[in-house]
Amino acid sequence: MKRLTLTAAVALALPAFAQAAEITVVREVDSNNYDPHRAVARAAAEVLFMLGDTLVSLNPDMQTIEPGVAKSWEVSEDGLTYTFNLRDDVYFCDGKQMTAEDVAYSITRWVDPETKSPVAWRAGDVESVTAVDEFTVEYKLSEPFSELLYQLTQSFGTIIDSANVEALGEDFGVSGFNGSGPFCWVEWTPRDKMIIERHEAYTWGAPFHTNTGPASMERITWQVVPEENTRTVAVLTGQSEITQYVPDIALAQLRAAPTVEVVRSDLAFWTYFMGFKIDKDTVSDPAVRQAINLAVDQTAMAEDLFFGEVEPAYSYVSQGALDWNTALDDTLLTYDPEEANRILDEAGWERGSDGVRSKDGVRLEPIAYVFAGSTWGKISESVQAYLREIGVAMDIQAFDATVAWGRLATQEFDMFGMSFPYVSSGDALNLYFRSENMPTPNRMNWNDAQTDELLQAGKTALDDATRAESYGAVLEIVHDAAVWLPLYHEPMVVAQSADLETVVPHNIYGAGLYKGLDLKFKE
Amino acid sequence: MMTLVLNRLIISIPVLFGVLLLGFGLLILVPGDPAIVMAGPMATPEVVAAIRTEMGLDEPVMTQFFRYLGRMAEGDLGRSLISNKTVISELGAAIGPTTELMVACLIWSIPLGIALGTLAAVWRGSITDRAIMAFSVAGVSLPIFFICLMLIHFVGVQWRLLPFIGRGGPLWTIEGLRHIALPALSLGLIFIGPVARMTRSSVLEVLRLDHVRTARAKGLSETRVILRHGLRNALIPVVTLVGLQAGYLLGGAVVTESIFSYPGIGRLAVGAILSSDFPLAQGAILILALAFILINLIVDVLYALLDPRVQTS
């Protein structure tokens, strides 16, 4: 009997041991592939950070650049030449040593028009990237790019193995990936799961990690679970140890559960907004855009729709982001429906018998394109209700994500809903407000010579002060013109098993677990 | 028998052609541009245009259709727009799990349904009969997603007996069995009802027939009469029903697989359609149609085996 009990106890305990270094992460969607230069989804970044390394890495404070596979770097006086000194102890998963050749190959492939990378601009105006010697890389730009180091920390800058890319061809990042990250590719079944395993030789983690390698997790399974309630109960019942994809409505319940810990970071730069196509009949009037900004109560929306789990936004980028212009703090447009009505009256938009305003025969009925799904459904309906109060009849048209991007590239709408990740003010502004980026991602058709000039000045600035000043000025211009209706900044919330050491959420590109080096079971 | 099978196969050809046509129509009719899907969210219009030319999307519809048929005839189903894996390999990976799910579902629900139906017929009018029929009606009327969610709620979350996410491994491993239990249970529950009801009425009918009376008159035991003379004949309509329901089951599998994140054909089809991954959606639809044709063929063969009259005619 005693032996039987003992056997049973061992049998029961065994799975617990077997699980000790394995975790399942549940998430909402999968990426289309895991080629760092072709995949722009957050889902790709999440896994690529674990599979590969970048030249430099970003501290969880989202401001400080720290070493990656480059242990040090120098920037020339004119800001055109970056010299990276690589570590000589970095190896790919297959055992091959990483050299300057690999770095040069990776960046060159990134910017090569043949690759058709939608994010090539993030590498700056590259003239050439060459291997000076085995462990020195010379990164030459044709124009300075003050954000270069920040951009190089993103998953797009992942160093890949040329032999691997050539061997796999079309299947690179689909059937395999030879990276130098803390984890190695095991198996990917699209839309189901991605399995990665510990890279035993890994010792080159960035200095801000508690553990610089090898990782303490032996295996991580990224399991796609599209249903948000299922993800929530998966964390509650221990079928998943950690996830950043839980609905706001479930957070209170998760916090109350003894087996789950919820960590939150406000340094997450992910902002939801609605933009105006400023050359359309209705919203071309600055008074209308301003009134719409004043009519919407973001604080109440954050409270009612998102259970207070998000931060209401009045600014276009988070006020904690690098180069935010603090002078604007007091001038942001906050909820004031009376003022909104006054502005519209003054501008000559008169209410008709049905309460909708019109001017010179143009009715104030902007068409808004948003993504189908519960999030934008909630947001846009709420905005619609607020706008109704001031006599604006916003018409909502929702599209499935795969279709929406195509529709958003047209000129058929007056307003659009969007959310985006960024590392700094400059990152966001260069993406959305450059005139050359019309019609996408500059869907506002914001065509302003002064903005372009300032953005160029900021992009090519050689010192932090000039850069901050230029971007600050752009922020002022676009805020004054009210080209967006900011809605909320989404913080990074990670729900994790209480058996895990508390993680520090990292917000780069919204990939909360970043390298996964510090994922560890409590001892 | 061979003629029967051959006849059925010949009839399947126009059906398959129809499916191919529909699958292609999907590509033309639904909103969403495959080139944009492939290019990804941030792509510039030039990149999209280049991909469009590369994919042959700027050619006339008829040209595209014949090219598509040609590719199908060669067995080339194309590559997924999303993952760039070949459609064949994605389908191949999903067929196994779905077959497992079907087997795991049918292996317990059909015998149980038949047994329950027979019991209900034998004890017609009793409490047992009423209980079984009430259960069957519930099984027929409750939507599959509701059953899935209830099972997740009680078995998965409240009592924490079984996992409800994904596939644990092949069917013959402990983990595989644990993971498949809830999906197979949900799917089977909607199957028992119709099978039990059909068996009951069919057995009742058969028990009234002359040959059963003769069997009884010969002095055979009641059990033997029911099993040998009643049930064998009663099973003919049940087999037909099971065949028809199997198609319904495939539909249920789409829901079940989605809810339990089970990596089968159903979930693949839903994912492919939602993400406008046309080649994969077409492939999944084709496979589902083939499965339907195959199931019907098996039903016809079983029918012939059970009822010799079908063979001669």
Side-chain angles (χ1 to χ4, degrees):
Chain A
M1 184 63 209
K2 199 172 177 188
R3 177 179 288 173
L4 194 70
T5 329
L6 197 68
T7 326
V10 169
L12 281 174
L14 264 178
F17 274 115
Q19 276 169 2
E22 286 188 25
I23 56 168
T24 300
V25 188
V26 286
R27 57 176 174 172
E28 191 171 0
V29 290
D30 205 341
S31 175
N32 45 353
N33 63 63
Y34 291 92
D35 176 339
H37 302 146
R38 290 188 295 135
V40 293
R42 155 154 60 171
E46 284 178 332
V47 175
L48 283 169
F49 282 127
M50 295 192 175
L51 289 177
D53 274 315
T54 44
L55 275 170
V56 283
S57 41
L58 191 62
N59 188 289
D61 71 4
M62 293 297 280
Q63 307 255 359
T64 321
I65 300 287
E66 304 217 13
V69 290
K71 56 180 190 245
S72 64
W73 54 92
E74 294 107 46
V75 186
S76 67
E77 281 288 303
D78 58 5
L80 289 176
T81 309
Y82 288 66
T83 312
F84 294 97
N85 306 305
L86 305 189
R87 298 177 66 121
D88 55 6
D89 59 349
V90 178
Y91 294 88
F92 286 105
C93 279
D94 68 353
K96 187 187 128 178
Q97 185 165 25
M98 180 192 285
T99 61
E101 289 294 344
D102 296 301
V103 176
Y105 173 80
S106 302
I107 310 285
T108 311
R109 179 175 183 267
W110 181 6
V111 296
D112 185 351
E114 271 287 290
T115 314
K116 293 197 203 115
S117 172
V119 287
W121 63 273
R122 289 182 187 269
D125 301 306
V126 176
E127 197 174 277
S128 68
V129 180
T130 42
V132 179
D133 59 43
E134 215 180 344
F135 298 108
T136 312
V137 176
E138 200 174 64
Y139 197 121
K140 275 197 168 149
L141 296 172
S142 53
E143 259 185 291
F145 185 26
S146 57
E147 300 248 325
L148 181 64
L149 292 175
Y150 288 97
Q151 295 295 356
L152 289 180
T153 64
Q154 306 228 45
S155 59
F156 317 112
T158 301
I159 310 300
I160 51 180
D161 169 21
S162 59
N164 184 237
V165 177
E166 270 142 36
L168 291 175
E170 286 259 283
D171 286 334
F172 173 68
V174 174
S175 64
F177 181 94
N178 186 30
S180 66
F183 294 90
C184 297
W185 178 292
V186 176
E187 193 191 0
W188 178 41
T189 37
R191 281 174 279 235
D192 181 34
K193 60 185 163 193
M194 166 63 112
I195 302 171
I196 53 178
E197 240 168 23
R198 178 163 66 195
H199 186 180
E200 301 292 346
Y202 192 90
T203 52
W204 47 91
F208 55 81
H209 291 291
T210 321
N211 169 24
T212 52
S216 72
M217 285 299 152
E218 273 166 19
R219 179 184 269 250
I220 298 180
T221 304
W222 291 87
Q223 171 81 47
V224 177
V225 179
E227 229 288 308
E228 60 181 22
N229 294 320
T230 313
R231 288 197 299 275
T232 309
V233 286
V235 179
L236 278 172
T237 56
Q239 288 185 65
S240 164
E241 283 76 13
I242 189 163
T243 182
Q244 66 179 72
Y245 297 98
V246 285
D248 295 317
I249 194 169
L251 287 175
Q253 189 192 357
L254 286 171
R255 284 198 187 95
T259 53
V260 180
E261 192 179 342
V262 175
V263 266
R264 170 182 160 137
S265 161
D266 285 318
L267 287 169
F269 302 137
W270 193 294
T271 298
Y272 283 70
F273 69 93
M274 291 187 87
F276 302 106
K277 249 199 197 317
I278 57 157
D279 47 9
K280 288 287 186 157
D281 271 354
T282 47
V283 293
S284 58
D285 186 348
V288 170
R289 302 199 298 267
Q290 217 169 12
I292 289 177
N293 266 277
L294 290 167
V296 176
D297 188 354
Q298 285 95 329
T299 314
M301 279 174 72
E303 208 49 57
D304 300 343
L305 301 181
F306 301 100
F307 306 91
E309 302 288 352
V310 301
E311 195 198 333
Y314 301 98
S315 55
Y316 298 179
V317 296
S318 168
Q319 282 154 279
L322 182 73
D323 296 338
W324 163 252
N325 183 352
T326 48
L328 293 175
D329 283 344
D330 301 325
T331 62
L332 299 174
L333 299 170
T334 55
Y335 183 53
D336 189 351
E338 277 166 37
E339 175 70 6
N341 273 317
R342 198 190 59 76
I343 291 177
L344 287 176
D345 288 337
E346 206 169 82
W349 291 93
E350 278 167 23
R351 278 184 194 261
S353 53
D354 57 352
V356 179
R357 288 172 189 274
S358 53
K359 179 182 177 180
D360 306 330
V362 178
R363 272 166 68 83
L364 206 37
E365 293 173 316
I367 296 172
Y369 277 11
V370 297
F371 290 86
S374 62
T375 310
W376 273 105
K378 282 188 291 193
I379 300 173
S380 55
E381 281 159 24
S382 180
V383 168
Q384 188 181 42
Y386 280 118
L387 297 191
R388 177 95 12 220
E389 298 287 310
I390 59 160
V392 178
M394 185 174 85
D395 181 17
I396 304 167
Q397 295 192 16
F399 300 96
D400 195 75
T402 42
V403 182
W405 296 104
R407 302 305 295 259
L408 284 166
T410 65
Q411 301 286 348
E412 305 161 350
F413 53 94
D414 308 297
M415 295 171 70
F416 64 97
M418 184 70 52
S419 71
F420 73 110
Y422 46 96
V423 285
S424 65
S425 303
D427 191 13
L429 296 172
N430 276 310
L431 179 62
Y432 282 111
F433 294 100
R434 276 182 177 268
S435 58
E436 71 199 56
N437 284 355
M438 292 188 291
T440 60
N442 182 353
R443 301 178 182 86
M444 295 80 63
N445 293 336
W446 180 251
N447 192 354
D448 179 53
Q450 201 194 350
T451 307
D452 285 342
E453 240 167 68
L454 284 166
L455 283 177
Q456 194 58 23
K459 188 181 169 189
T460 56
L462 297 178
D463 61 297
D464 293 351
T466 322
R467 190 192 63 217
E469 201 179 306
S470 314
Y471 288 150
V474 177
L475 281 166
E476 197 179 331
I477 295 174
V478 293
H479 268 93
D480 272 353
V483 288
W484 283 5
L485 164 64
L487 293 164
Y488 64 90
H489 304 302
E490 190 177 58
M492 173 64 67
V493 177
V494 174
Q496 61 164 90
S497 157
D499 295 340
L500 287 177
E501 298 278 354
T502 309
V503 298
V504 179
H506 201 295
N507 298 304
I508 184 163
Y509 213 69
L513 306 181
Y514 197 40
K515 292 276 170 196
L517 275 170
D518 294 333
L519 288 171
K520 192 176 181 219
F521 278 103
K522 283 179 183 155
E523 272 155 18
Chain B
M1 179 64 92
M2 275 318 285
T3 7
L4 178 93
V5 174
L6 273 177
N7 269 337
R8 295 293 314 186
L9 282 179
I10 291 165
I11 294 172
S12 310
I13 292 173
V15 176
L16 259 185
F17 188 77
V19 170
L20 285 172
L21 188 68
L22 269 177
F24 180 77
L26 184 85
L27 185 111
I28 304 295
L29 292 176
V30 296
D33 184 338
I36 290 177
V37 174
M38 197 165 180
M42 315 285 247
T44 57
E46 295 86 65
V47 174
V48 174
I51 291 174
R52 194 187 303 274
T53 318
E54 208 170 279
M55 291 170 78
L57 288 173
D58 45 3
E59 289 175 49
V61 174
M62 283 315 282
T63 320
Q64 287 187 47
F65 181 58
F66 283 112
R67 196 180 280 176
Y68 168 71
L69 283 187
R71 281 205 319 270
M72 289 291 151
E74 284 171 10
D76 172 18
L77 298 182
R79 276 170 176 263
S80 158
L81 299 185
I82 303 288
S83 68
N84 201 33
K85 285 198 171 187
T86 57
V87 170
I88 298 272
S89 72
E90 291 231 32
L91 290 176
I95 283 175
T98 298
T99 315
E100 281 182 1
L101 182 58
M102 290 293 153
V103 169
C105 152
L106 294 177
I107 209 157
W108 71 274
S109 61
I110 291 184
L112 188 62
I114 293 177
L116 285 176
T118 315
L119 281 183
V122 172
W123 292 325
R124 185 184 180 188
S126 68
I127 297 278
T128 319
D129 180 22
R130 276 154 208 263
I132 290 172
M133 280 309 105
F135 179 73
S136 305
V137 171
V140 176
S141 346
L142 286 177
I144 176 85
F145 74 86
F146 181 76
I147 295 176
C148 293
L149 291 179
M150 281 296 124
L151 282 177
I152 290 183
H153 182 75
F154 288 105
V155 184
V157 180
Q158 295 278 350
W159 307 325
R160 307 210 175 167
L161 294 175
L162 292 167
F164 49 87
I165 289 179
R167 173 172 177 262
L171 199 51
W172 51 88
T173 58
I174 299 280
E175 270 307 296
L177 278 176
R178 273 166 50 81
H179 276 84
I180 211 168
L182 281 185
L185 200 59
S186 322
L187 206 51
L189 277 174
I190 58 162
F191 210 67
I192 294 177
V195 172
R197 275 167 33 135
M198 183 56 95
T199 313
R200 178 179 180 272
S201 53
S202 164
V203 167
L204 280 178
E205 199 125 305
V206 170
L207 287 183
R208 257 189 254 125
L209 295 179
D210 291 346
H211 77 274
V212 174
R213 201 178 53 201
T214 311
R216 283 211 177 103
K218 279 199 303 187
L220 291 179
S221 73
E222 188 64 16
T223 324
R224 206 171 157 79
V225 169
I226 291 166
L227 292 182
R228 286 294 295 270
H229 297 268
L231 202 55
R232 170 161 181 179
N233 288 297
L235 278 184
I236 295 171
V238 175
V239 167
T240 317
L241 176 90
V242 168
L244 287 176
Q245 287 281 319
Y248 183 55
L249 198 65
L250 283 173
V254 172
V255 178
T256 313
E257 287 175 4
S258 300
I259 292 183
F260 290 99
S261 308
Y262 190 81
I265 293 277
R267 185 168 179 237
L268 191 74
V270 171
I273 292 168
L274 282 182
S275 54
S276 303
D277 189 346
F278 302 106
L280 191 55
Q282 285 167 340
I285 290 168
L286 190 67
I287 288 291
L288 287 174
L290 278 177
F292 205 91
I293 292 171
L294 187 72
I295 289 169
N296 276 308
L297 188 69
I298 294 172
V299 168
D300 284 346
V301 171
L302 280 179
Y303 206 95
L305 286 179
L306 280 169
D307 188 350
R309 282 171 301 178
V310 177
Q311 292 179 38
T312 49
S313 64

